[in-house]
Amino acid sequence: MAEHLDLHTVGDLLHHYPRRYAERGELTRLADLPLDEHVTVVAQVAKAAMKTFNHGKGVRLEVVVTDGSGSLTLVFFGRGAYAREKELLPGRRGMFAGKVSVFNRTRQLLHPDYELLDRESGADAAESFAGRLLPIYPACKQFQSWKLTKAVDTLLDLFEADTWQGIVDPLPPALRDVRGLAPLADAFRKVHRPASKADIEDARARLKWDEAFVLQVALARRRHTDAQLPAVARKPVAGGLLDAFDAKLPFTLTDGQRTVSAEIFDDLATEHPMHRLLQGEVGSGKTMVALRAMLGVVDAGGQAAMLAPTEVLAQQHHRSITEMMGELAEGGMLGGAEQGTKVVLLTGSMGAAARRHALLDLVTGEAGIVIGTHALIEDKVQFHDLGLVVVDEQHRFGVEQRDALRSKGKQPPHLLVMTATPIPRTVAMTVFGDLETSVLDQLPAGRSPIATHVVPAKDKPHFLARTWERVREEVEGGHQAYVVCPRIGDTLGDEPQGEGDTPKKKAAAEEPEAEKRPPLAVLDIAEQLARGPLGGLRVEVLHGRMQPEAKDDVMRRFAAGEVDVLVATTVIEVGVNVPNSTVMVIMDADRFGVSQLHQLRGRVGRGSAPGLCLLVSEASEASPARARLAAVAGTLDGFELSRIDLEQRREGDVLGQAQSGVRSSLRMLTVIDDEEVIAAAREEATAIVTADPELERLPELRTALDALLDKERERYLDKG
């Protein structure tokens, strides 16, 4: 069990819950079996036949089992087939486990393991299964579900004999009573050995609460500890840099931007570090909110650092921030404003002289704002007085890196984390539970709507031809276009980590036809377009393997209107802002995730002209991949899409990305469906931790917390 299922202790086994339950009178639907997956089915033998092959030298037993919805063939080769033939008689029922494959258009299990449920010779086995729901456990080839059932049965029998001594119940009795939850021992008994469906519901309700509550207590303690840390209060001063900046803004802030700014300035004015997550749709003006916070901190005598996940994005932020600030970004320089400050860029690829200059500006305090990549975290980088850290695109930035930057301040700096990936409320409470959340859901005035359409390239090739005509029309109308591909090119492989996520392999695997060819590549597509349908237009490429200077040069020329069509990888997914680009074509769109498509789409329609996004795919119409693309085409609401994305992916991926220490603790809880449980658990956890931060009056909860947070996970949470 330890080797194949990562189950090491009695507790691990008790927490290894059944995936589903089969009833003796109700059969699993064989019609819905997935190919290439290891399954356990409960079915009845319909017929069995011994056949010969290879001129009578070889034998095989073919057993057809059925459940009314469909049938499945079990195949056994060799001498062992004769023993199976005597057992697997028509009318016998059993549990069969194996990997589903197809032979001659018939689904089959090759040499499956099985356990007969009504074997005359084993009355005990039949009785143990009689009259109850059969738990089907998450299992594997080396350790089948019924072996787990027997192991758990052994445990439950031992516990019954020992009246469940030693089971630590993490929920305080008062909380259990108020919420009407079963005791933990009952929940274990009911989840593994249910007498009815009501038992399963009772057990699930209780065990979900355990997971939600213990996790929320961990996060509440994290928040409580953070609230005790000292920080320098940073209050903007009247008539300073922030006021000067606001006075020269050519537009008014949205209500949302004003509200969120007020929340941030309230946090900055306290003597405890701010920990705030700022979520906002692509183009909702998060950078403006972050910049105003940074200017407020500079006014208060501190410095602000903004971290971006890639050099392209750091350069883009530096460019847009210095443009927005104008002479205010030239403090201490000739022609600079009196109350201005210096805004410096610090990246790994800078020349030695420029880097030395930037480092000097930071340590003397000459530079109030620094924008950079991971290079900001290196030991050599010293600040005069770091007051605020802004982290852009949190999900691409490691916790340890965030922590290293925090330690640059004399006291812990305030922290603002920004993401353009909308996160459902429950995920925010679970994954970013130690951060307060602000949401920008209004688009600034003047932003245009984006029309999105799926282009079925295989079924309707003329649609693809029309796609390139549309691109040409937009360019002739004075606009620009993006073409996004999953890969760089055969000789260069995929994007390096951190330069835009490589598209999900899972998405490609859903489509057998998609697997037959590699994903389309930037270098190939750019060449085909320049020679063919977009001949005569200025086509350039951009990808993560280019030298930083070359990347910056291409982006500058694209922003200046000197490039008509930019063929790129997902390196343009975040932060690239070219208002004149109105159309985006995403090749092999089915190979990208829902949230990623939404992010990419946000690069167009950033000016006054309407945006158009075309999702090109060869996936067949009835496939899950096409359903995913239809969902993206159907709504511009990032929060709705993030729910769809989460429902389609395993939750562990989502939690694992941001909080790997939490992943394995969610066995029963699903963050989308159990919103009420999570919200209620957060409330209860906050109240308990406020009253008793060290949990001295709740030793059982403390024990459960220690089990959830081993040293490694504790460190992970500690790093925020």
Side-chain angles (χ1 to χ4, degrees):
M1 286 191 210
E3 186 181 346
H4 298 295
L5 293 168
D6 198 25
L7 303 176
H8 301 268
T9 66
V10 165
D12 289 344
L13 184 55
L14 281 174
H15 285 102
H16 189 72
Y17 307 129
R19 178 178 284 149
R20 59 190 175 82
Y21 301 85
E23 292 182 68
R24 296 213 64 192
E26 171 217 347
L27 296 165
T28 316
R29 282 182 61 80
L30 294 182
D32 301 334
L33 286 183
L35 276 182
D36 289 333
E37 280 199 22
H38 200 276
V39 298
T40 302
V41 298
V42 178
Q44 185 162 12
V45 177
K47 59 182 181 181
M50 191 69 83
K51 303 193 175 178
T52 59
F53 60 93
N54 196 12
H55 308 297
K57 291 177 187 168
V59 292
R60 74 173 179 272
L61 175 65
E62 290 185 5
V63 180
V64 177
V65 297
T66 180
D67 69 347
S69 76
S71 60
L72 180 68
T73 303
L74 316 177
V75 182
F76 301 91
F77 289 99
R79 291 197 179 141
Y82 291 108
R84 307 277 195 286
E85 186 185 23
K86 288 175 184 163
E87 286 190 325
L88 297 172
L89 302 169
R92 302 294 296 274
R93 290 167 49 80
M95 298 169 82
F96 304 94
K99 192 175 183 183
V100 184
S101 58
V102 168
F103 181 71
N104 279 347
R105 301 195 171 187
T106 303
R107 273 177 310 179
Q108 64 174 28
L109 298 183
L110 196 57
H111 286 281
D113 288 298
Y114 62 89
E115 174 96 344
L116 292 174
L117 300 184
D118 51 358
R119 192 185 304 201
E120 292 83 1
S121 59
D124 291 349
E127 203 169 306
S128 74
F129 285 113
R132 70 179 172 100
L133 295 150
L134 307 177
I136 309 288
Y137 288 93
C140 61
K141 184 180 175 185
Q142 296 87 350
F143 211 93
Q144 300 85 3
S145 176
W146 55 83
K147 288 188 183 171
L148 282 161
T149 303
K150 286 177 179 174
V152 172
D153 276 346
T154 304
L155 265 189
L156 294 180
D157 290 343
L158 283 171
F159 278 127
E160 295 302 346
D162 199 25
T163 62
W164 293 85
Q165 291 302 311
I167 291 279
V168 173
D169 193 332
L171 293 194
L175 170 59
R176 220 169 49 222
D177 295 345
V178 168
R179 298 278 170 185
L181 297 167
L184 186 55
D186 286 359
F188 281 139
R189 196 183 294 110
K190 286 177 175 177
V191 80
H192 291 295
R193 216 182 243 178
S196 64
K197 288 184 176 173
D199 275 2
I200 298 169
E201 287 313 304
D202 278 359
R204 282 180 182 276
R206 165 61 214 252
L207 296 168
K208 281 180 178 183
W209 251 93
D210 277 20
E211 289 180 7
F213 179 70
V214 175
L215 179 56
Q216 291 300 337
V217 167
L219 293 165
R221 293 186 73 211
R222 179 75 266 127
R223 287 194 301 277
H224 184 270
T225 306
D226 282 344
Q228 311 309 309
L229 288 172
V232 179
R234 310 281 179 175
K235 298 176 185 171
V237 294
L241 186 54
L242 179 60
D243 286 352
F245 175 75
D246 284 349
K248 70 193 284 294
L249 275 182
F251 52 83
T252 55
L253 298 175
T254 64
D255 292 345
Q257 284 175 316
R258 275 199 289 271
T259 306
V260 171
S261 285
E263 290 172 351
I264 290 170
F265 284 124
D266 285 349
D267 284 356
L268 289 172
T270 64
E271 292 184 349
H272 302 292
M274 166 174 79
H275 291 95
R276 189 167 285 278
L277 172 69
L278 173 55
Q279 304 190 58
E281 282 286 13
V282 174
S284 58
K286 294 183 300 298
T287 309
M288 175 58 69
V289 169
L291 176 55
R292 292 185 73 248
M294 293 197 289
L295 296 175
V297 167
V298 174
D299 272 347
Q303 290 170 295
M306 181 183 242
L307 252 71
T310 66
E311 292 209 351
V312 168
L313 192 50
Q315 288 157 348
Q316 172 93 24
H317 276 318
H318 182 254
R319 201 156 48 240
S320 62
I321 283 173
T322 48
E323 280 166 14
M324 280 194 278
M325 288 176 65
E327 72 278 6
L328 294 172
E330 297 169 355
M333 295 192 272
L334 212 57
E338 186 187 339
Q339 67 272 67
T341 187
K342 259 193 195 174
V343 178
V344 301
L345 176 69
L346 191 63
T347 62
S349 64
M350 284 171 73
R355 187 179 172 77
R356 209 164 37 243
H357 209 85
L359 290 171
L360 193 63
D361 284 343
L362 283 182
V363 77
T364 60
E366 189 92 359
I369 295 175
V370 58
I371 295 153
T373 54
H374 307 105
L376 278 179
I377 303 169
E378 291 174 10
D379 291 343
K380 291 177 193 158
V381 181
Q382 297 296 321
F383 290 86
H384 178 66
D385 180 11
L386 180 60
L388 170 66
V389 175
V390 178
V391 180
D392 193 18
E393 285 312 316
Q394 144 72 15
H395 63 289
R396 292 156 175 260
F397 202 78
V399 172
E400 289 80 4
Q401 295 157 325
R402 225 166 62 182
D403 190 49
L405 189 63
R406 252 191 218 168
S407 65
K408 298 279 183 191
K410 294 184 176 72
Q411 285 190 331
H414 298 280
L415 176 69
L416 179 65
V417 168
M418 301 196 299
T419 179
T421 305
I423 304 165
R425 176 168 161 265
T426 44
V427 182
M429 283 193 295
T430 311
V431 181
F432 302 104
D434 54 339
L435 302 174
E436 297 300 323
T437 304
S438 295
V439 178
L440 276 178
D441 48 14
Q442 269 178 300
L443 288 185
R447 284 299 299 267
S448 304
I450 305 168
T452 308
H453 302 285
V454 178
V455 178
K458 198 164 192 174
D459 310 343
K460 300 179 179 169
H462 58 287
F463 276 34
L464 185 57
R466 176 71 189 119
T467 296
W468 303 125
E469 284 171 23
R470 279 293 287 120
V471 170
R472 198 176 264 287
E473 286 164 16
E474 288 294 318
V475 171
E476 283 165 2
H479 298 298
Q480 292 160 279
Y482 295 102
V483 178
V484 179
C485 302
R487 282 170 63 247
I488 298 172
D490 291 336
T491 54
L492 291 166
D494 279 331
E495 286 284 59
Q497 207 57 41
E499 283 286 12
D501 293 343
T502 46
K504 297 178 173 38
K505 290 189 174 68
K506 187 199 87 168
E510 284 172 358
E511 307 303 324
E513 62 265 32
E515 288 186 313
K516 289 176 185 169
R517 65 162 176 77
L520 295 172
V522 165
L523 302 178
D524 305 337
I525 292 292
E527 192 179 332
Q528 287 168 26
L529 293 177
R531 283 186 182 170
L534 302 185
L537 301 186
R538 297 168 297 178
V539 178
E540 292 272 4
V541 300
L542 180 71
H543 57 74
R545 295 279 167 92
M546 289 164 65
Q547 288 302 313
E549 300 80 23
K551 278 192 281 198
D552 202 34
D553 178 56
V554 171
M555 274 316 304
R556 271 182 196 283
R557 288 190 291 114
F558 188 61
E562 295 164 20
V563 174
D564 298 322
V565 180
L566 186 62
V567 185
T569 53
T570 53
V571 73
I572 58 132
E573 182 183 344
V574 286
V576 173
N577 184 20
V578 180
N580 191 43
S581 55
T582 53
V583 61
M584 174 175 285
V585 181
I586 302 179
M587 307 301 291
D588 278 346
D590 48 285
R591 301 192 185 231
F592 297 89
V594 169
S595 294
Q596 200 172 26
L597 290 170
H598 181 60
Q599 286 272 355
L600 287 164
R601 167 171 65 183
R603 299 299 114 215
V604 295
R606 298 177 80 87
S608 51
L612 174 66
C613 179
L614 300 169
L615 307 172
V616 179
S617 170
E618 292 188 1
S620 58
E621 197 165 351
S623 65
R626 276 286 285 279
R628 209 167 51 232
L629 297 184
V632 175
T635 180
L636 289 171
D637 181 345
F639 285 92
E640 177 55 31
L641 287 174
S642 70
R643 284 186 81 92
I644 292 168
D645 199 20
L646 190 56
E647 281 162 7
Q648 290 183 341
R649 289 156 58 190
R650 283 196 41 242
E651 220 131 35
D653 300 342
V654 181
L655 298 176
Q657 243 179 357
Q659 195 88 303
S660 69
V662 171
R663 186 176 55 226
S664 58
S665 63
L666 294 193
R667 297 183 177 94
M668 189 67 85
L669 197 68
T670 55
V671 290
I672 282 288
D673 300 334
D674 299 320
E675 186 162 341
E676 287 172 17
V677 176
I678 292 170
R682 182 180 167 109
E683 246 174 72
E684 297 279 9
T686 305
I688 280 172
V689 170
T690 304
D692 181 8
E694 293 303 314
L695 307 179
E696 286 166 0
R697 296 191 290 280
L698 298 167
E700 295 85 0
L701 177 55
R702 179 77 237 198
T703 304
L705 206 58
D706 291 341
L708 171 72
L709 302 174
D710 54 30
K711 281 290 167 268
E712 188 181 337
R713 292 180 191 159
E714 184 77 80
R715 272 205 307 279
Y716 207 99
L717 275 178
D718 271 346
K719 289 182 169 154

